[in-house]
Amino acid sequence: MKRLAVILAALVLSVAASAQSHFGFLGGLSFSNAPKVAELDLRTATLYHAGLTYQYKFTQGFSVQPSVLLMMKGANNQDKSSAIREGSIEIPVSFQWGPDLLLFRPYVEVVPYVGFNIPKLGTPIVDPAIVNGGVGVGGGIEIWKLQISARYNWNLNPHRKVAAGEEPTWAYRCTTLSLAFLF
């Protein structure tokens, strides 16, 4: 019986030691912009994002990394007298590929995401849509338990409600620089 317990413990420890999944914290800067809104000439705003992430590594350098983030996006007026700020909970799913080079792993990624706006967080200039989505492309490097990445994101739907027959007026474009700690 003791021998069976030792064998089972060794098996569990070996599987845990070779586990290919990690939880982590993710955060960074968001550089977002929007085209003309209500005759305002908008410029890039530097805001932030933070949240939790989970990475699962497959074979041949592929991995999937879903996250849940508080994402702040917006834009500044040219003279910075007014600004748009919108907060949302975003759920990006990063599909990554990169060779594991023992000490580090460079990778490229494609990231579809869906976001849920938080109406009380920020100062939207128009009535925001509740659900938005998009796709991002980027890359990064993973060193030990740290992951540094850069991504360009396109919102695929307008970031405001559109009345029947009305043309959508704007959608965010956002570049993110992120740092994740995986454990």
Side-chain angles (χ1 to χ4, degrees):
M1 190 63 149
K2 286 183 183 179
R3 192 173 276 184
L4 180 61
V6 169
I7 290 172
L8 286 176
L11 182 62
V12 168
L13 288 174
S14 68
V15 168
S18 66
Q20 296 295 313
S21 63
H22 306 281
F23 284 98
F25 298 105
L26 178 107
L29 297 175
S30 304
F31 306 96
S32 58
N33 196 343
K36 277 191 169 184
V37 176
E39 303 307 318
L40 295 175
D41 187 18
L42 297 174
R43 303 288 185 216
T44 301
T46 302
L47 297 165
Y48 61 91
H49 60 278
L52 300 172
T53 190
Y54 173 78
Q55 180 189 60
Y56 185 82
K57 289 185 179 179
F58 296 97
T59 60
Q60 306 298 320
F62 290 98
S63 66
V64 174
Q65 187 169 334
S67 303
V68 176
L69 302 173
L70 169 63
M71 176 70 77
M72 294 299 295
K73 293 181 183 176
N76 292 325
N77 196 358
Q78 185 175 5
D79 61 5
K80 298 195 182 204
S81 62
S82 64
I84 300 170
R85 299 287 181 266
E86 291 187 0
S88 63
I89 299 296
E90 283 192 2
I91 303 171
V93 179
S94 174
F95 296 94
Q96 302 173 351
W97 179 83
D100 189 356
L101 303 175
L102 295 180
L103 298 177
F104 62 97
R105 181 180 79 102
Y107 62 89
V108 293
E109 63 183 349
V110 174
V111 187
Y113 63 90
V114 63
F116 304 92
N117 286 345
I118 304 170
K120 299 288 184 189
L121 188 58
T123 55
I125 198 166
V126 293
D127 189 18
I130 298 301
V131 178
N132 61 68
V135 66
V137 294
I141 189 164
E142 194 173 306
I143 303 170
W144 185 58
K145 294 183 180 208
L146 294 177
Q147 193 178 64
I148 302 165
S149 65
R151 182 183 318 142
Y152 187 77
N153 302 290
W154 293 271
N155 271 26
L156 297 179
N157 59 319
H159 222 61
R160 72 179 193 93
K161 292 179 183 173
V162 179
E166 183 183 8
E167 285 295 315
T169 56
W170 60 288
Y172 285 115
R173 304 292 184 255
C174 182
T175 301
T176 58
L177 297 176
S178 302
L179 176 66
F181 178 73
L182 305 170
F183 51 92

